[in-house]
Amino acid sequence: MWRARRWLVRSTPCRSSLKAIATNQLNGSQPQVTGVVRGLEVDQYNASLAVASHGFTQNPARCVLDYMTNSRYGAGAYITTADVNLQSFYDFSVLCNSQVPNGIGGLEDQHHIDLVIDKKKPHWDWMQSISANYKSAIIWSNGQYKIITDRADTPVRQVFHAGNTIRERTSVKMDSDPTRPNQVTVEFANQALDYGMDTFFAQDSAAVAANEPVKNFDLSLLGIVRQSEIQRAAEYHIRRHRDRRRTVAFATGLEGIVVEPGDFAKVGVINTDYEAGYGGRALDGSSSYILLDREVNLQNSNAYELLVWHSKTDSVETINLASATNTGRMISLTASFGAEVFAGDRWAVGITSEDLMKIRVTNVTRNVETGVHEIVGEEFVSFQATTPTFVNCGVAFRLNMPPAQPVGVSVTERALQHKDGNTASMLQFDVTPSPLIEAGRLTQAGTQNSVILGAGSHNPIMNSLVGERIR
């Protein structure tokens, strides 16, 4: 679809004609015709969200945006650029162009698209299925279509804790794929094979080594044609299917209005000692202290972190606390806050990585009558799949001179007649001189019952049989 030679969307059938004289090679049934598709030119936006150029691209963000807003072959009859959050698509395009290892010592763009849309299905299905290949989704946010991506550098948008969540409305459960597959199979059009179909297998070797039966699932990545990118995506999906993550659901008031699906948030959850974290609003503060609206009692045996949502800068700051000096309402810092604390700023204190869990918001439901927001989020586990790099393992073969050719060979036939009249025979070959091996030659006479392989033996690779005794 999108690519200098492979991006094609048509609202009408593509027709061609062939006129030729019938020959022995050209006769009978209709011949098969293969064509090279020339890609479409699309608008390409810069950091100022202005159209900087118009041309071919393999960047998925630019291609999906073009499909959304083109009225001839896409959803442009319903969606215009004014209906799209262009900043989200520009951010996604930068991510797609970011450089990652290609597995052979070089770098490549993280994401490419190489797709021909030749099947009819709803525009929305096409947009979402293409986006899903790149860990992304399109949502409706603040009156515009916005693309969100599973990426670790998304900022934390809100902190939910005991001070701003509704009591007895929080639940935490473990969530995972019950089948926990350890192998994935991907069939794709391999760019390296002139877009011929190829099959790629990826496996969690640790699980198989632990005697788990092979549990395979098929993965469709239509539009991805580089084996290196297929490998990164397959590795990510195996990890995703095998991970056990916590899912938290809770209710809050107007505090929930600032988050939407795809955002990061931190949520205070019950820890293993059944103690809740602390949270509330600042009564006063400055760049060096914060006066809390409730007392805190921090235990010396735990490490804590203080999160403050600075209302003036609309940002979250995390401070690591020394528990012995922070009991009561006043928390003073030896170093200053990044921004001044004002009355009304939200705060939360919890045991590091225990009370406050980082989640990616997956669903937000608002009751317009009560103003209550019901939010569901999934524990975020950072995982960036990389393309394994193939390295030189050293000398694989050491070919010594071949052994001397035999100068004499004698053959002896031995026969034995059984009682039933059948005869069994064996041919014995005697070669002169006796064979020797060292990378093809024996270091001792062939009649020895054992041979010790010394340095420079047949296989110098680490963990091979070098230095081992063969009996």
Side-chain angles (χ1 to χ4, degrees):
M1 180 172 176
W2 293 279
R3 186 175 178 257
R5 299 176 62 194
R6 300 278 174 174
W7 172 204
L8 174 67
V9 178
R10 293 186 62 90
S11 56
T12 57
C14 180
R15 297 184 176 88
S16 62
S17 62
L18 179 66
K19 184 178 181 180
I21 299 176
T23 65
N24 291 335
Q25 290 76 31
L26 182 63
N27 64 81
S29 61
Q30 181 177 342
Q32 180 179 349
V33 178
T34 302
V36 177
V37 179
R38 181 173 176 80
L40 293 174
E41 296 183 348
V42 303
D43 290 336
Q44 303 183 37
Y45 291 82
N46 57 22
S48 301
L49 306 184
V51 177
S53 61
H54 187 78
F56 301 121
T57 181
Q58 287 177 277
N59 188 299
R62 296 168 181 167
C63 296
V64 172
L65 177 59
D66 173 74
Y67 183 74
M68 288 180 65
T69 57
N70 191 287
S71 59
R72 183 168 67 87
Y73 48 77
Y78 317 99
I79 303 174
T80 67
T81 53
D83 301 319
V84 177
N85 185 318
L86 294 177
Q87 184 66 54
S88 68
F89 279 87
Y90 175 77
D91 293 341
F92 182 38
S93 71
V94 173
L95 176 69
C96 294
N97 285 339
S98 63
Q99 298 297 287
V100 296
N102 61 5
I104 54 175
L107 297 174
E108 65 182 11
D109 292 344
Q110 184 168 173
H111 297 307
H112 273 186
I113 187 171
D114 217 331
L115 175 66
V116 175
I117 290 182
D118 56 1
K119 294 182 179 179
K120 183 178 181 180
K121 67 178 181 180
H123 294 313
W124 184 252
D125 290 350
W126 273 118
M127 292 186 292
Q128 290 289 39
S129 61
I130 294 172
S131 302
N133 285 347
Y134 309 99
K135 299 181 290 185
S136 302
I138 299 172
I139 65 172
W140 178 256
S141 171
N142 294 326
Q144 289 184 314
Y145 291 99
K146 175 182 180 180
I147 191 164
I148 58 175
T149 304
D150 187 3
R151 50 191 298 179
D153 57 353
T154 304
V156 174
R157 292 296 304 159
Q158 180 60 293
V159 180
F160 299 100
H161 47 78
N164 62 5
T165 55
I166 301 175
R167 294 183 60 184
E168 301 180 357
R169 295 285 296 275
T170 300
S171 64
V172 181
K173 66 177 183 178
M174 295 299 296
D175 193 14
S176 66
D177 184 341
T179 63
R180 300 198 73 212
N182 51 28
Q183 178 176 286
V184 58
T185 303
V186 186
E187 291 188 356
F188 69 107
N190 194 332
Q191 176 179 280
L193 301 178
D194 197 23
Y195 300 92
M197 293 306 296
D198 198 1
T199 302
F200 180 85
F201 297 91
Q203 191 177 83
D204 184 338
S205 56
V208 177
N211 294 323
E212 280 191 23
V214 174
K215 292 174 286 186
N216 182 77
F217 73 98
D218 295 326
L219 182 62
S220 175
L221 296 171
L222 188 64
I224 300 180
V225 298
R226 297 177 301 172
Q227 181 169 315
S228 53
E229 187 172 358
I230 290 287
Q231 188 163 343
R232 291 193 295 271
E235 183 182 359
Y236 169 82
H237 283 280
I238 283 184
R239 174 74 174 270
R240 191 74 177 80
H241 280 269
R242 292 187 62 80
D243 271 352
R244 291 188 173 95
R245 307 188 185 198
R246 291 179 290 177
T247 298
V248 58
F250 58 95
T252 184
L254 291 178
E255 306 283 359
I257 201 170
V258 300
V259 296
E260 63 185 12
D263 283 344
F264 279 149
K266 287 200 171 183
V267 181
V269 297
I270 297 175
N271 62 30
T272 55
D273 295 326
Y274 302 98
E275 298 173 355
Y278 300 94
R281 300 275 182 167
L283 297 179
D284 192 14
S286 68
S287 60
S288 60
Y289 78 92
I290 179 173
L291 181 61
L292 310 178
D293 58 351
R294 60 181 294 189
E295 290 189 357
V296 297
N297 183 16
L298 312 184
Q299 304 298 320
N300 291 327
S301 59
N302 295 319
Y304 293 85
E305 64 181 15
L306 166 67
L307 285 89
V308 178
W309 188 281
H310 296 288
S311 56
K312 297 296 183 181
T313 59
D314 191 29
S315 62
V316 176
E317 182 176 5
T318 303
I319 303 293
N320 293 321
L321 297 179
S323 58
T325 61
N326 294 292
T327 298
R329 289 175 178 265
M330 178 75 74
I331 295 182
S332 300
L333 303 182
T334 54
S336 61
F337 285 104
E340 188 172 355
V341 178
F342 291 91
D345 285 353
R346 299 185 297 275
W347 64 270
V349 173
I351 300 175
T352 304
S353 301
E354 187 169 6
D355 282 340
L356 294 168
M357 179 173 64
K358 187 176 182 180
I359 65 168
R360 180 178 293 283
V361 176
T362 57
N363 186 58
V364 179
T365 304
R366 182 178 182 228
N367 188 316
V368 294
E369 296 181 356
T370 63
V372 172
H373 290 76
E374 295 183 351
I375 299 175
V376 179
E378 179 186 70
E379 180 182 13
F380 178 74
V381 179
S382 179
F383 174 66
Q384 180 62 44
T386 58
T387 309
T389 300
F390 298 97
V391 298
N392 186 352
C393 299
V395 179
F397 299 99
R398 180 177 296 171
L399 300 178
N400 290 343
M401 292 295 293
Q405 298 298 311
V407 295
V409 178
S410 61
V411 182
T412 303
E413 182 178 8
R414 301 180 184 276
L416 175 65
Q417 188 173 21
H418 295 287
K419 293 181 178 181
D420 59 2
N422 292 325
T423 301
S425 65
M426 178 183 67
L427 295 178
Q428 177 180 323
F429 291 80
D430 294 313
V431 181
T432 305
S434 299
L436 302 175
I437 296 177
E438 180 184 292
R441 297 186 303 166
L442 276 173
T443 57
Q444 304 290 335
T447 56
Q448 296 277 337
N449 61 7
S450 66
V451 176
I452 296 179
L453 299 180
S457 66
H458 71 290
N459 192 345
I461 298 176
M462 184 180 297
N463 298 325
S464 69
L465 295 177
V466 174
E468 295 292 334
R469 178 179 292 273
I470 297 180
R471 297 188 183 277

